[in-house]
Amino acid sequence: MRISIYRKAHFNAAHRLHNDDWSDEKNREVFGKCNNPHYHGHNYELEVRLTGEIDPITGYLYDLAHLSQLIKEHIEERYDHKNLNLECPEFKDQNPTAELICIEIWKILRSKLQDKFELGVRLWETPRNYVEYPA
Amino acid sequence: MRISIYRKAHFNAAHRLHNDDWSDEKNREVFGKCNNPHYHGHNYELEVRLTGEIDPITGYLYDLAHLSQLIKEHIEERYDHKNLNLECPEFKDQNPTAELICIEIWKILRSKLQDKFELGVRLWETPRNYVEYPA
Amino acid sequence: MRISIYRKAHFNAAHRLHNDDWSDEKNREVFGKCNNPHYHGHNYELEVRLTGEIDPITGYLYDLAHLSQLIKEHIEERYDHKNLNLECPEFKDQNPTAELICIEIWKILRSKLQDKFELGVRLWETPRNYVEYPA
Amino acid sequence: MRISIYRKAHFNAAHRLHNDDWSDEKNREVFGKCNNPHYHGHNYELEVRLTGEIDPITGYLYDLAHLSQLIKEHIEERYDHKNLNLECPEFKDQNPTAELICIEIWKILRSKLQDKFELGVRLWETPRNYVEYPA
Amino acid sequence: MRISIYRKAHFNAAHRLHNDDWSDEKNREVFGKCNNPHYHGHNYELEVRLTGEIDPITGYLYDLAHLSQLIKEHIEERYDHKNLNLECPEFKDQNPTAELICIEIWKILRSKLQDKFELGVRLWETPRNYVEYPA
Amino acid sequence: MRISIYRKAHFNAAHRLHNDDWSDEKNREVFGKCNNPHYHGHNYELEVRLTGEIDPITGYLYDLAHLSQLIKEHIEERYDHKNLNLECPEFKDQNPTAELICIEIWKILRSKLQDKFELGVRLWETPRNYVEYPA
């Protein structure tokens, strides 16, 4: 009786996409408006999925209040109202694309959860674009 | 050419989470505000997924008007505007958590559908929390 | 330069519609499924609107963090995960219809805000039904 | 490190469901209001999913501006503000059901994308009904 | 204590915008893709607002089940799965634009409601375009 | 027969709230996380409302394709993927709060529309916070 539970959260942040090894021209060509050196930003919407067996005593897979607190403490406090390029070391050597932010969030939450729970993360950069890890 | 179709529905209900074997204190500690003895409630949003082969004559996997009627008759009429703890025998010996309501809905619909259709159920307890069975 | 700002919030509660002066039959006729003596419930979504002049120093009409805190302290803590009929004295002598809950919320917030702000409240009982006070 | 990215798009179209081999009565019985000979229509919402490996140089799975342009050029321009039965040859010999429109969209996009990307398509016919291919 | 209540509904229909007094060229210039002679269609979302005094006995402004039934009987049954140009005489001599459909819906509902209720109608033609009457 | 039409649009931008006349401490106290010197950002959702008389020849209040183009040319191109503080001179001497961005958008659109149309603008900074001008 494996089941999945989902919890939504959100944070707002600024970012910029850029590759230091490229010319300005090539950066603008590949990243377009996302290359703006002055940054732009998004309301990131996050959806966390845990999969596993229901606890027969409580009827819960996992206490959603705990999951919500975990996301708040480790994800929202880290990224909310931040400049991802300047203030988050994990984006010093890689671009804060939706894909890579999603994987970083997955890694952080993975380290806080017991192995018996399978973990999935979806991240909306805009209401029309989002990513999911693992696929 | 296997395809999935989805149909949304909804019902409103009251519930309470509680374990008779525990002290009041332990119940409040584990279930928090959801343990309120006077009940609270939700607008449950439901999404039913059928998977299978398209009928080459109609171009349908399954007639959505039939699926909608099936959900109305067996799920909405059973749970809408009900107190899940007091009026639904399936929650006499287990908590009406989103997880267990979702599994009960799956069992009811499973018994009404031909085996050739794979069935999935998602149940939103709030716009930010939902569950999916099977995982 | 009058402007309006809006802030959304939410709470979950159980309720029942009933008129003690009427027979059970008349109550069922008028209130239908909402008359269920065992209660049912909703995810109430709330939208609070303040109207006034922008503060030229901050560029704010009103600090949204304060407004959010005000709603949390006086509305969410009062109604969230409650049985409106049994636990909220304001619904002892009047029905907890969406209309009357909306007016009670307006009265509470009105008493906490300076007169220079005009106040409006919208309350969704379901995604398809809502009320607004004042009209 | 396989990841999925999603992009939403939309188009409006008229259609009718009908089987030429059947009597008018049988058509009405099976397809109901969708059999109206004068057509009816929908705002179709589309969600395209690509799955694959992230490009370590850009941090992208696939440039969303390209994906958006691909959908606009090959799907929106083909179906937007069209009568699917009369103007789209792919629905000359099969019904424009949500299921079959979804598969046609998948086929078109599949032919425009490199094999290394796995492709999925979801198509909403209304906010409450949608389909997904492959399952 | 005037309050407003809102109820949502929806219908799907085909339409075409065209002026018989104009050349085909002028029609295409003014109405663009909406002039397609083969029609296109939409999922119309409707929101009906009633304003008035709360009934002190029930706590209702108006029974939402009655309002829902009124909309179903007089609006949804008239327009759902119809071709507005060919099947609705009110659009024989005027274009079925969102503006004019909204006014027709207002006129129909106005004739079914007591004068003491003020009436407003919003009509979404797509999730990004809508109209409201009266202004 | 005055009616209103609404059109939605969106842009993404970075910003920071700050008052140069204040100490860093006072800025942090008043603006909280929004004072981050490295900026943060939002997906701004915009809703433009025009009110006036329907053109009896077309059945339109205003051609939505024109309105959409006007918003794209004068608002989206100005603000999308920008740093509002650094790249938009209108926010050199005033804070880019939602309130003041909304008024700037109103002023720009007001100058592009005929006087016979009344204009209103709503701006969402997040899905839970928005402003409207005029009130």
Side-chain angles (χ1 to χ4, degrees):
Chain A
M1 300 251 286
R2 286 174 70 77
I3 198 166
S4 293
I5 64 165
Y6 297 75
R7 172 74 191 176
K8 290 182 185 265
H10 57 95
F11 58 90
N12 311 320
H15 78 153
R16 177 204 188 188
L17 303 183
H18 187 259
N19 186 325
D20 290 342
D21 298 339
W22 292 346
S23 66
D24 286 358
E25 195 181 5
K26 169 115 196 214
N27 268 296
R28 275 195 300 274
E29 186 195 318
V30 172
F31 294 119
K33 292 183 293 185
C34 297
N35 183 239
N36 183 345
H38 300 297
Y39 309 102
H40 64 285
H42 297 289
N43 300 328
Y44 291 93
E45 298 284 331
L46 177 66
E47 190 180 274
V48 174
R49 184 190 72 231
L50 295 195
T51 302
E53 300 286 335
I54 296 177
D55 175 340
I57 307 299
T58 58
Y60 280 165
L61 173 70
Y62 191 92
D63 183 336
L64 275 172
H66 289 188
L67 181 56
S68 175
Q69 183 56 32
L70 199 71
I71 297 169
K72 188 172 181 175
E73 205 174 312
H74 298 287
I75 308 301
E76 296 184 24
E77 291 195 3
R78 186 180 192 88
Y79 294 129
D80 191 32
H81 283 72
K82 293 287 173 59
N83 182 308
L84 301 177
N85 302 67
L86 298 180
E87 300 179 274
C88 301
E90 61 270 43
F91 300 114
K92 198 168 163 50
D93 296 321
Q94 62 177 351
N95 260 327
T97 58
E99 288 89 332
L100 293 173
I101 303 168
C102 187
I103 290 175
E104 291 299 323
I105 291 171
W106 185 90
K107 285 181 190 167
I108 294 168
L109 293 175
R110 181 67 282 173
S111 72
K112 308 295 175 192
L113 290 160
Q114 294 169 266
D115 285 349
K116 68 179 178 180
F117 298 113
E118 189 185 328
L119 171 68
V121 175
R122 281 186 172 185
L123 183 72
W124 277 257
E125 196 172 74
T126 76
R128 298 176 72 180
N129 298 339
Y130 67 101
V131 301
E132 182 176 31
Y133 181 80
Chain B
M1 299 251 287
R2 286 175 70 79
I3 198 165
S4 293
I5 63 166
Y6 297 76
R7 172 76 191 172
K8 289 181 184 267
H10 57 95
F11 57 90
N12 311 319
H15 78 152
R16 176 203 189 190
L17 304 184
H18 188 260
N19 185 326
D20 289 343
D21 298 339
W22 292 347
S23 67
D24 286 358
E25 196 183 4
K26 168 119 195 208
N27 268 296
R28 274 194 301 271
E29 187 196 317
V30 173
F31 294 119
K33 291 183 294 184
C34 297
N35 185 239
N36 182 346
H38 300 297
Y39 309 101
H40 64 283
H42 297 289
N43 301 328
Y44 291 95
E45 297 284 331
L46 176 66
E47 190 181 274
V48 175
R49 184 191 71 232
L50 295 193
T51 302
E53 300 286 334
I54 296 177
D55 175 339
I57 307 299
T58 59
Y60 280 165
L61 172 72
Y62 191 92
D63 182 338
L64 276 171
H66 290 187
L67 180 57
S68 174
Q69 183 55 32
L70 199 73
I71 296 169
K72 188 172 181 173
E73 204 174 313
H74 298 287
I75 307 301
E76 295 183 25
E77 291 195 3
R78 186 180 192 87
Y79 294 129
D80 191 32
H81 283 73
K82 294 287 172 57
N83 183 308
L84 300 176
N85 302 67
L86 299 180
E87 300 179 274
C88 301
E90 61 271 41
F91 300 113
K92 198 169 163 48
D93 297 322
Q94 63 178 352
N95 260 327
T97 58
E99 287 91 331
L100 293 172
I101 303 168
C102 186
I103 290 175
E104 291 299 324
I105 290 171
W106 185 89
K107 284 182 188 165
I108 293 168
L109 292 175
R110 182 66 283 172
S111 73
K112 308 294 176 191
L113 289 160
Q114 295 170 265
D115 285 348
K116 68 178 176 179
F117 297 113
E118 189 186 327
L119 171 67
V121 176
R122 282 188 171 182
L123 183 72
W124 278 257
E125 196 172 73
T126 75
R128 296 177 73 181
N129 300 339
Y130 66 100
V131 301
E132 182 176 31
Y133 182 79
Chain C
M1 301 250 287
R2 286 174 71 78
I3 199 166
S4 292
I5 62 166
Y6 297 76
R7 173 75 191 173
K8 289 182 185 267
H10 58 93
F11 57 91
N12 311 320
H15 78 153
R16 176 205 189 189
L17 304 184
H18 188 258
N19 184 325
D20 290 342
D21 298 339
W22 292 347
S23 67
D24 285 359
E25 196 183 4
K26 170 118 194 208
N27 268 296
R28 275 194 300 271
E29 185 195 320
V30 172
F31 294 119
K33 289 182 297 185
C34 297
N35 184 240
N36 183 346
H38 299 298
Y39 308 100
H40 64 285
H42 298 288
N43 300 329
Y44 290 95
E45 297 284 329
L46 176 66
E47 188 181 275
V48 174
R49 185 190 71 234
L50 295 194
T51 303
E53 301 286 335
I54 295 178
D55 176 339
I57 307 300
T58 57
Y60 279 166
L61 174 71
Y62 191 93
D63 182 337
L64 276 170
H66 290 186
L67 181 57
S68 174
Q69 183 56 30
L70 199 73
I71 296 169
K72 189 171 182 176
E73 202 173 316
H74 298 286
I75 307 302
E76 294 183 25
E77 291 195 4
R78 186 179 191 89
Y79 294 130
D80 191 33
H81 282 73
K82 294 290 171 58
N83 182 309
L84 301 178
N85 302 67
L86 299 180
E87 298 179 274
C88 301
E90 62 271 41
F91 300 114
K92 197 168 165 48
D93 296 321
Q94 62 177 353
N95 260 328
T97 58
E99 288 91 331
L100 293 172
I101 303 168
C102 187
I103 289 175
E104 291 299 325
I105 290 171
W106 185 89
K107 285 181 188 166
I108 293 167
L109 292 176
R110 181 67 283 174
S111 72
K112 307 295 176 194
L113 289 160
Q114 294 169 266
D115 285 350
K116 68 178 178 181
F117 297 113
E118 191 185 324
L119 172 67
V121 176
R122 283 188 169 181
L123 183 71
W124 277 257
E125 197 172 77
T126 76
R128 296 177 73 180
N129 299 339
Y130 67 101
V131 301
E132 182 176 31
Y133 181 79
Chain D
M1 300 252 287
R2 286 174 70 78
I3 198 165
S4 293
I5 63 166
Y6 298 75
R7 171 77 192 172
K8 289 182 185 268
H10 58 94
F11 58 89
N12 311 318
H15 77 153
R16 176 202 189 191
L17 304 184
H18 187 259
N19 185 326
D20 289 342
D21 298 338
W22 292 348
S23 68
D24 286 357
E25 196 184 3
K26 169 116 195 212
N27 267 295
R28 275 194 300 272
E29 186 195 317
V30 173
F31 295 118
K33 290 184 295 184
C34 297
N35 184 240
N36 182 347
H38 299 298
Y39 309 101
H40 64 285
H42 297 289
N43 301 327
Y44 290 94
E45 298 284 331
L46 176 66
E47 189 180 274
V48 174
R49 185 190 71 232
L50 295 194
T51 302
E53 300 287 335
I54 296 178
D55 175 340
I57 306 299
T58 59
Y60 279 165
L61 173 70
Y62 191 92
D63 183 337
L64 275 171
H66 290 186
L67 181 57
S68 175
Q69 183 56 32
L70 199 72
I71 296 169
K72 187 171 183 175
E73 203 174 314
H74 297 288
I75 307 301
E76 295 184 26
E77 290 195 4
R78 185 180 191 90
Y79 294 129
D80 191 34
H81 282 74
K82 293 290 172 58
N83 182 306
L84 301 176
N85 302 68
L86 299 180
E87 300 179 273
C88 300
E90 61 270 42
F91 300 114
K92 197 169 165 50
D93 296 321
Q94 62 178 351
N95 260 328
T97 59
E99 287 90 331
L100 293 173
I101 303 169
C102 187
I103 291 176
E104 291 299 325
I105 291 171
W106 185 90
K107 285 181 189 167
I108 294 168
L109 293 176
R110 181 67 282 173
S111 72
K112 308 293 176 193
L113 290 160
Q114 294 170 266
D115 285 349
K116 67 179 178 180
F117 297 113
E118 191 186 326
L119 171 68
V121 175
R122 282 188 170 183
L123 183 72
W124 277 256
E125 196 171 75
T126 76
R128 297 177 71 180
N129 300 338
Y130 67 99
V131 302
E132 182 176 31
Y133 181 79
Chain E
M1 299 253 285
R2 287 174 71 76
I3 199 166
S4 293
I5 63 166
Y6 297 76
R7 172 76 191 174
K8 289 181 185 269
H10 58 92
F11 57 91
N12 311 318
H15 79 153
R16 177 205 188 188
L17 303 184
H18 188 259
N19 185 325
D20 289 343
D21 298 340
W22 291 348
S23 66
D24 285 0
E25 195 183 3
K26 169 117 195 210
N27 268 295
R28 275 193 300 271
E29 185 196 318
V30 173
F31 294 119
K33 290 183 295 185
C34 297
N35 184 239
N36 182 346
H38 298 298
Y39 309 101
H40 65 284
H42 297 289
N43 300 328
Y44 290 94
E45 296 286 328
L46 177 65
E47 189 181 273
V48 174
R49 185 191 71 233
L50 294 194
T51 302
E53 301 285 337
I54 295 177
D55 175 340
I57 306 301
T58 57
Y60 279 165
L61 173 72
Y62 191 93
D63 183 337
L64 275 171
H66 290 186
L67 181 56
S68 174
Q69 183 56 31
L70 199 73
I71 296 168
K72 188 171 183 175
E73 203 174 315
H74 298 287
I75 307 301
E76 294 183 24
E77 291 195 3
R78 184 178 193 90
Y79 294 129
D80 190 33
H81 282 74
K82 293 289 172 59
N83 182 308
L84 300 177
N85 302 67
L86 298 180
E87 299 179 275
C88 300
E90 62 271 41
F91 300 114
K92 196 169 165 49
D93 297 321
Q94 62 178 351
N95 258 330
T97 59
E99 289 91 331
L100 293 172
I101 302 168
C102 187
I103 290 176
E104 291 299 323
I105 290 171
W106 185 90
K107 285 180 187 168
I108 293 167
L109 293 175
R110 182 66 282 176
S111 73
K112 307 296 176 194
L113 289 160
Q114 293 169 268
D115 285 349
K116 69 178 177 180
F117 297 112
E118 191 185 326
L119 172 66
V121 175
R122 281 188 171 183
L123 183 71
W124 277 257
E125 197 172 76
T126 76
R128 297 177 72 180
N129 299 337
Y130 67 100
V131 302
E132 182 176 32
Y133 181 80
Chain F
M1 299 251 288
R2 286 175 70 77
I3 199 165
S4 293
I5 64 166
Y6 298 75
R7 172 76 191 173
K8 288 181 187 269
H10 58 93
F11 57 92
N12 311 320
H15 78 151
R16 176 204 188 188
L17 303 184
H18 188 259
N19 185 325
D20 289 342
D21 298 339
W22 293 348
S23 67
D24 285 0
E25 196 182 3
K26 168 118 197 208
N27 267 297
R28 275 194 300 271
E29 186 195 319
V30 173
F31 295 119
K33 290 183 295 186
C34 297
N35 185 238
N36 183 346
H38 299 299
Y39 309 100
H40 64 284
H42 298 288
N43 300 327
Y44 291 94
E45 297 285 329
L46 176 66
E47 188 181 274
V48 174
R49 184 190 72 233
L50 294 194
T51 302
E53 301 286 335
I54 296 177
D55 175 340
I57 307 299
T58 58
Y60 279 164
L61 173 71
Y62 191 93
D63 182 337
L64 275 171
H66 290 186
L67 181 56
S68 174
Q69 183 56 30
L70 199 71
I71 296 168
K72 188 171 182 174
E73 203 174 314
H74 298 286
I75 307 302
E76 294 183 25
E77 292 195 3
R78 185 179 193 89
Y79 295 129
D80 191 33
H81 283 71
K82 293 289 171 59
N83 182 308
L84 300 177
N85 302 67
L86 299 180
E87 299 179 275
C88 301
E90 61 270 42
F91 300 115
K92 196 168 165 49
D93 296 321
Q94 62 177 352
N95 259 329
T97 59
E99 288 90 331
L100 293 173
I101 304 168
C102 187
I103 290 176
E104 291 299 324
I105 291 171
W106 185 90
K107 284 180 189 167
I108 293 168
L109 293 176
R110 181 67 283 175
S111 73
K112 306 295 177 194
L113 290 160
Q114 294 168 269
D115 285 348
K116 68 179 179 180
F117 298 113
E118 192 185 324
L119 171 67
V121 175
R122 282 188 171 182
L123 183 71
W124 277 255
E125 197 171 75
T126 76
R128 297 178 71 180
N129 299 339
Y130 66 101
V131 301
E132 182 176 32
Y133 181 79

